[in-house]
């Protein structure tokens, strides 16, 4: 089973609606990061939330982290067609666990229709 | 600021052939990562360098994959011989390296490899 599992696998919404993606993980983490990947391109870092933080905002993005439930969510408000992409959560393990590597989930494919 | 550069962008080879990918990280970034991303999956770390030393290569198939980062700047990843299951996008990323797992990783555009 995956360290990071994302839900849903695919999401289709209309422009202007909000999009929520969830990420669950299994072991303790140092931090959790969200990345975006446009079709056929590299990943772009969106936001990093540390294990002692509960919520973080960046523009239209809101990330929450619940370490007791080992889960995180990414909310994109007032979505735009340009938000169409795959979104990945990545968990950074503590240094004592596999040297603190970053483990990516399978991703959520978001489609925003104009 | 220039981003992470990778070449080539696309490569098609036949199985059992060899292939090499090149990556030039952002200037001043001490940590360099190579990831493999199979279609429909998230990236998987193959190897992580801190300057020119290997920090983690636990998921690198060492019987066929090799990587080096001479002089602690650019890096090459080689596959020899390639198998069909190596078809994937190979992503290079770099970060400042002060606290590698707690800092932003900057990704290059990737090299899309197809093994026939």
């Amino acid at each position: 089973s995956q360290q990071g599992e994302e839900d849903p696998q695919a999401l289709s919404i209309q422009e202007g609606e909000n999009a929520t993606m969830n990420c669950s993980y299994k072991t303790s983490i140092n931090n959790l990061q969200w990345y975006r990947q446009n079709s056929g391109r590299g990943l772009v870092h969106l936001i990093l939330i540390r294990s002692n933080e509960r919520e973080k905002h960046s523009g239209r993005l809101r990330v929450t982290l619940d370490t007791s439930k080992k889960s995180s969510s990414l909310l994109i408000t007032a979505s735009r067609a340009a938000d169409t992409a795959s979104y990945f959560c990545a968990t950074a393990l503590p240094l004592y666990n596999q040297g603190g590597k970053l483990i990516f989930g399978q991703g959520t494919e978001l489609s925003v229709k104009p | 600021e220039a981003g992470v550069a990778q070449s080539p962008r696309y490569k098609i080879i036949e199985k059992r052939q060899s292939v090499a990918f090149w990556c030039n990280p952002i200037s001043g970034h001490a940590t360099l990562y190579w990831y493999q991303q199979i279609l429909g999956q998230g990236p998987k770390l193959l190897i992580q360098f801190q300057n020119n030393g290997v920090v983690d290569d636990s998921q690198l198939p060492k019987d066929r994959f090799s990587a080096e980062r001479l002089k602690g700047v650019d890096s090459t990843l080689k596959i020899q011989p390639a198998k069909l299951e190596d078809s994937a996008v190979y992503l290079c990323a770099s970060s400042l390296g002060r606290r590698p797992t707690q800092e932003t990783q900057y990704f290059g555009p990737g090299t899309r490899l197809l093994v026939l």
Side-chain angles (χ1 to χ4, degrees), chain A residues 88-101:
Chain A
F88 294 90
C89 74
T91 50
L93 303 179
L95 279 174
Y96 61 77
N97 187 351
Q98 300 181 61
K101 69 171 51 170

Side-chain angles (χ1 to χ4, degrees), chain A residues 28-48:
Chain A
S28 295
I29 61 172
N30 179 289
N31 65 75
L32 187 146
Q33 304 176 30
W34 285 91
Y35 286 79
R36 182 186 71 223
Q37 185 175 38
N38 292 91
S39 179
R41 309 206 34 200
L43 283 84
V44 174
H45 181 266
L46 295 177
I47 199 163
L48 181 155

Side-chain angles (χ1 to χ4, degrees), chain B residues 29-34 45-57 60 66-70 72-77 93-95 97 100:
Chain B
H29 279 195
T31 308
L32 185 146
Y33 315 79
W34 282 103
L45 180 68
L46 292 176
I47 189 167
Q48 176 182 338
F49 292 94
Q50 182 74 11
N51 296 307
N52 60 352
V54 175
V55 173
D56 182 359
D57 63 357
L60 186 74
S66 64
E68 60 182 12
R69 191 184 184 197
L70 299 175
V73 182
D74 56 353
S75 175
T76 56
L77 176 70
S94 70
S95 66

Side-chain angles (χ1 to χ4, degrees), chain A residues 17-28:
Chain A
E17 293 180 339
N18 295 342
T20 299
M21 288 158 266
N22 303 296
C23 172
S24 60
Y25 57 92
K26 298 187 183 303
T27 64
S28 295

